[in-house]
């Protein structure tokens, strides 16, 4: 058996023998007499002190206490096993070699690595197209949307459509009890045929001089009245068939079931055609002057993924909303019409609408480059060290050690400088720049939360980031 670096000699293996690896110890608890060792905490000790203590302990022939500073002893029961003590010469040689190697490693240590510069991705400031707009949350409404109502009373005997079914104009949805109307129509048609034959007969007799014109005219008039009566009876029968007035989709039909009695004008369901929609926007009075007929309007649904549509303003209310009507007070109702090309937008749905009031070009900065400090936006602009160093040297807040480190760097080293900016509303992940940046300025768009003004950085290669390219258009 071994104590790690120190051999246990003249000791036969025994199940009662406990030998542990040699470690360095300090601040051991006092041993219980000379027999056993209590708790020890591992800690690198002073080599000089350890060697002195080893000499003293060995000379006193008290090997069980060597663990106080250097190693644990083997213990059999409560008696110390002195044969577990390594020969002192072997111990001293091995210990000296170990301490020498440890001292050499401690003296040499790891070589200090040169401080690495933080790598950042960049974007070049350039012009982009921005579109000022007025935004509002609005509700959609179909341009063709009707309530289905019967034009006569009756009991439902047949339901010919179902919820959500696509129907054509004139297609029957419900059939009401029409036995009496059908019989009246048959009788009217029969009478119309009879009167027509009589009128034709008297026309023939009149031409041959067998009857007078007055008699002929009486039969002709009667035939015409019978024909009109048949048409009226047909119309009465037709009212018993509740038909769709437009092309569209049938709404909820749960209100009416087979056998129900419906009355004239009772709302049964709705027929909706969502192929063309209106968006009804309430525009604040402060922005009402910017709205005009024909301006482009973009709508985006609030779902995921969002559905988009594009139309134009077709109506501007001639008055502002007032208390007591459906419009919000001091707002102007603006209606825009657009085709529902995808068919996914529906009547009654709320969407985000934007009226495009113009178009202009402006310098743009990516949203990733913008930071906020005390409600003041700023960016980290990259400039050569040769331009930044004079200001850094003149600054009283920059430590002298930092100034010396910067002086040793090449003059072309990029340095980030915190630059306050004034920005417009965000569009398509780009801010229009009002002030603070110029054309072709380079700003950092990555690691911005870890940057500090005056910090030298390394620019990531252009082929490793899409952010190094110039900003693009900001059209929604």
């Amino acid at each position: 058996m071994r104590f790690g670096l120190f051999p246990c000699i003249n000791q036969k293996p025994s199940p009662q023998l406990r030998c542990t690896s040699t470690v360095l110890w300090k601040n051991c608890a006092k041993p219980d007499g000379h027999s056993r060792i209590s708790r020890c905490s591992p800690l690198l000790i002073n080599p000089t002190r350890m060697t002195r203590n080893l000499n003293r302990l060995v000379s006193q022939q008290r090997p069980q206490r060597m663990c106080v500073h250097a190693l644990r002893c083997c213990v059999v029961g409560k008696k110390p096993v002195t044969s577990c003590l390594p020969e002192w010469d072997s111990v001293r040689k091995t210990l000296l070699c170990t301490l020498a190697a440890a001292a050499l490693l401690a003296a040499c240590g790891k070589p200090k690595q040169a401080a690495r510069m933080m790598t950042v991705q960049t974007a070049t400031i350039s012009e982009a197209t921005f579109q000022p707009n007025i935004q509002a949350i609005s509700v959609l409404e179909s341009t063709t949307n009707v309530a289905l109502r019967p034009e006569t009373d009756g009991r439902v005997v047949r339901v010919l459509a179902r919820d959500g079914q696509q129907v054509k104009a004139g297609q029957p949805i419900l059939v009401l009890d029409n036995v009496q109307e059908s019989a009246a129509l048959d009788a009217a048609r029969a009478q119309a045929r009879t009167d027509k034959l009589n009128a034709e007969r008297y026309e023939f007799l009149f031409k041959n001089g067998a009857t007078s014109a007055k008699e002929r005219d009486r039969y002709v008039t009667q035939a015409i009245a019978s024909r009109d009566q048949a048409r009226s009876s047909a119309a009465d029968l037709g009212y018993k068939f509740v038909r769709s007035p437009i092309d569209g989709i049938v709404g909820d039909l749960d209100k009416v079931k087979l056998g129900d009695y419906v009355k004239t004008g009772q709302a049964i369901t709705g027929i909706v055609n969502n192929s063309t929609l209106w968006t009804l926007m309430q525009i604040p009075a402060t922005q009402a002057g910017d709205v005009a007929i024909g301006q482009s309007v973009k709508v985006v649904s609030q779902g995921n993924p969002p559905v988009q549509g594009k139309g134009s303003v077709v109506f501007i209310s001639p008055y502002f909303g007032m208390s007591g009507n459906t419009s919000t007070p001091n707002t102007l109702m603006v209606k825009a019409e657009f085709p529902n090309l995808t068919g996914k937008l529906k009547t009654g749905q709320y969407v985000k609408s934007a009226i495009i009031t113009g178009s202009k070009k402006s310098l743009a900065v990516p949203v990733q480059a913008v930071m906020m400090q005390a409600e003041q936006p700023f960016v980290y602009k990259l400039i050569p060290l040769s331009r930044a160093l004079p200001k850094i040297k003149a600054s009283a807040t920059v430590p002298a050690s930092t100034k010396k480190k910067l002086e040793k760097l090449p003059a072309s080293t990029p340095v980030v400088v915190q630059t306050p900016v004034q920005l417009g509303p965000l569009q398509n992940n780009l801010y229009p720049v009002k002030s603070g940046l110029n054309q072709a300025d380079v700003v950092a768009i990555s690691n911005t939360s870890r940057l500090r003004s005056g910090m030298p950085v390394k620019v990531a290669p252009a082929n490793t980031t899409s952010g190094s390219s110039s900003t693009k258009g900001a059209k929604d």
Side-chain angles (χ1 to χ4, degrees):
M1 295 186 180
R2 288 181 175 272
F3 281 99
L5 295 175
F6 302 93
C8 273
I9 60 174
N10 300 327
Q11 179 63 48
K12 295 182 180 180
S14 172
Q16 296 178 334
L17 181 62
R18 292 182 286 108
C19 287
T20 58
S21 299
T22 302
V23 292
L24 298 179
W25 302 87
K26 190 178 181 181
N27 299 329
C28 293
K30 292 182 180 181
D32 182 12
H34 300 288
S35 61
R36 57 189 303 180
I37 304 302
S38 57
R39 300 177 306 275
C40 292
S41 59
L43 185 67
L44 184 63
I45 67 172
N46 188 314
T48 304
R49 180 182 176 186
M50 186 179 72
T51 305
R52 183 172 63 251
N53 290 338
L54 281 175
N55 288 329
R56 178 173 57 81
L57 291 173
V58 173
S59 64
Q60 295 176 359
Q61 295 183 357
R62 295 166 66 184
Q64 70 279 10
R65 288 198 175 191
M66 292 179 66
C67 75
V68 175
H69 295 292
L71 56 92
R72 280 186 176 178
C73 294
C74 296
V75 179
V76 179
K78 296 184 178 180
K79 296 182 179 180
V81 181
T82 57
S83 61
C84 185
L85 175 68
E87 294 182 353
W88 173 237
D89 290 340
S90 175
V91 171
R92 183 165 54 185
K93 291 179 182 179
T94 307
L95 181 60
L96 290 178
C97 291
T98 304
L99 293 178
L104 181 60
L105 291 175
C108 295
K110 294 184 179 180
K112 294 183 178 180
Q113 297 181 353
R116 291 184 178 180
M117 292 186 190
M118 186 176 298
T119 301
V120 297
Q121 301 172 357
T122 61
T124 303
I125 302 301
S126 62
E127 282 191 343
T129 301
F130 290 90
Q131 296 177 332
N133 57 72
I134 301 173
Q135 297 186 359
I137 300 298
S138 59
V139 64
L140 297 180
E141 183 178 315
S142 172
T143 59
T144 311
N145 181 13
V146 297
L148 188 64
R149 302 174 187 270
E151 299 181 74
T152 186
D153 297 350
R155 190 172 301 280
V156 178
V157 295
R158 294 182 65 188
V159 179
L160 302 179
R162 63 180 184 278
D163 301 350
Q165 180 178 339
Q166 181 78 40
V167 295
K168 297 291 185 179
Q171 180 175 337
I173 307 298
L174 300 176
V175 180
L176 306 182
D177 181 18
N178 53 55
V179 175
Q180 184 176 352
E181 288 75 13
S182 297
L185 177 60
D186 292 341
R189 285 177 174 174
Q191 185 62 46
R193 285 194 295 268
T194 300
D195 292 342
K196 181 180 178 181
L197 291 174
N198 289 333
E200 292 175 352
R201 184 179 300 115
Y202 274 86
E203 180 68 25
F204 175 78
L205 293 174
F206 173 75
K207 288 181 180 180
N208 291 281
T211 187
S212 64
K214 183 178 179 180
E215 192 70 13
R216 180 208 60 181
D217 293 341
R218 184 172 68 85
Y219 280 98
V220 170
T221 303
Q222 187 176 352
I224 294 174
S226 298
R227 181 194 64 188
D228 293 341
Q229 181 61 40
R231 290 179 179 176
S232 177
S233 298
D236 291 340
L237 178 61
Y239 292 147
K240 294 297 183 176
F241 293 81
V242 183
R243 303 176 185 273
S244 173
I246 61 171
D247 294 348
I249 298 175
V250 179
D252 186 8
L253 273 174
D254 288 343
K255 294 181 180 179
V256 177
K257 298 179 174 61
L258 193 66
D260 286 347
Y261 189 87
V262 297
K263 295 184 177 181
T264 303
Q266 177 184 340
I268 295 175
T269 186
I271 308 294
V272 180
N273 188 339
N274 286 323
S275 59
T276 304
L277 297 174
W278 284 323
T279 175
L280 309 179
M281 298 169 283
Q282 301 294 333
I283 304 302
T286 55
Q287 298 176 306
D290 298 330
V291 182
I293 298 292
Q295 288 178 336
S296 296
V297 177
K298 295 180 180 180
V299 296
V300 181
S301 70
Q302 297 176 321
N304 189 19
V307 181
Q308 299 185 3
K310 186 175 181 180
S312 60
V313 176
V314 296
F315 172 75
I316 300 175
S317 176
Y319 49 82
F320 285 94
M322 297 176 291
S323 59
N325 59 19
T326 57
S327 300
T328 305
N330 205 30
T331 60
L332 186 68
M333 199 276 282
V334 177
K335 182 187 296 184
E337 182 177 320
F338 66 95
N340 186 14
L341 300 179
T342 62
K344 295 181 179 180
L345 297 175
K346 302 182 184 299
T347 295
Q349 182 176 356
Y350 282 86
V351 295
K352 294 184 289 185
S353 302
I355 303 175
I356 310 302
T357 59
S359 179
K360 65 178 182 179
K361 287 186 174 293
S362 174
L363 294 180
V365 60
V367 66
Q368 302 95 323
V370 179
M371 303 285 288
M372 295 292 293
Q373 186 177 42
E375 298 184 358
Q376 169 62 53
F378 68 89
V379 299
Y380 284 108
K381 183 170 66 173
L382 276 69
I383 62 175
L385 178 60
S386 57
R387 286 176 52 192
L389 192 56
K391 293 183 179 180
I392 295 176
K393 288 182 178 180
S395 175
T397 60
V398 180
S401 58
T402 302
K403 296 177 181 179
K404 290 181 180 180
K405 291 179 181 179
L406 292 176
E407 290 175 351
K408 297 178 181 180
L409 297 176
S412 59
T413 302
V415 176
V416 294
V417 177
Q418 183 173 323
T419 306
V421 290
Q422 296 296 326
L423 307 174
L426 179 67
Q427 290 188 27
N428 196 30
N429 292 329
L430 293 175
Y431 284 106
V433 179
K434 295 182 178 180
S435 64
L437 293 173
N438 298 316
Q439 182 86 13
D441 282 346
V442 178
V443 295
I445 60 173
S446 67
N447 292 325
T448 51
S449 61
R450 301 170 60 188
L451 298 178
R452 298 294 180 269
S453 189
M455 178 186 294
V457 295
K458 179 181 178 182
V459 178
N463 58 356
T464 63
T465 172
S466 59
S468 61
S469 60
S470 299
T471 56
K472 298 182 180 179
K475 295 182 180 180
D476 290 330

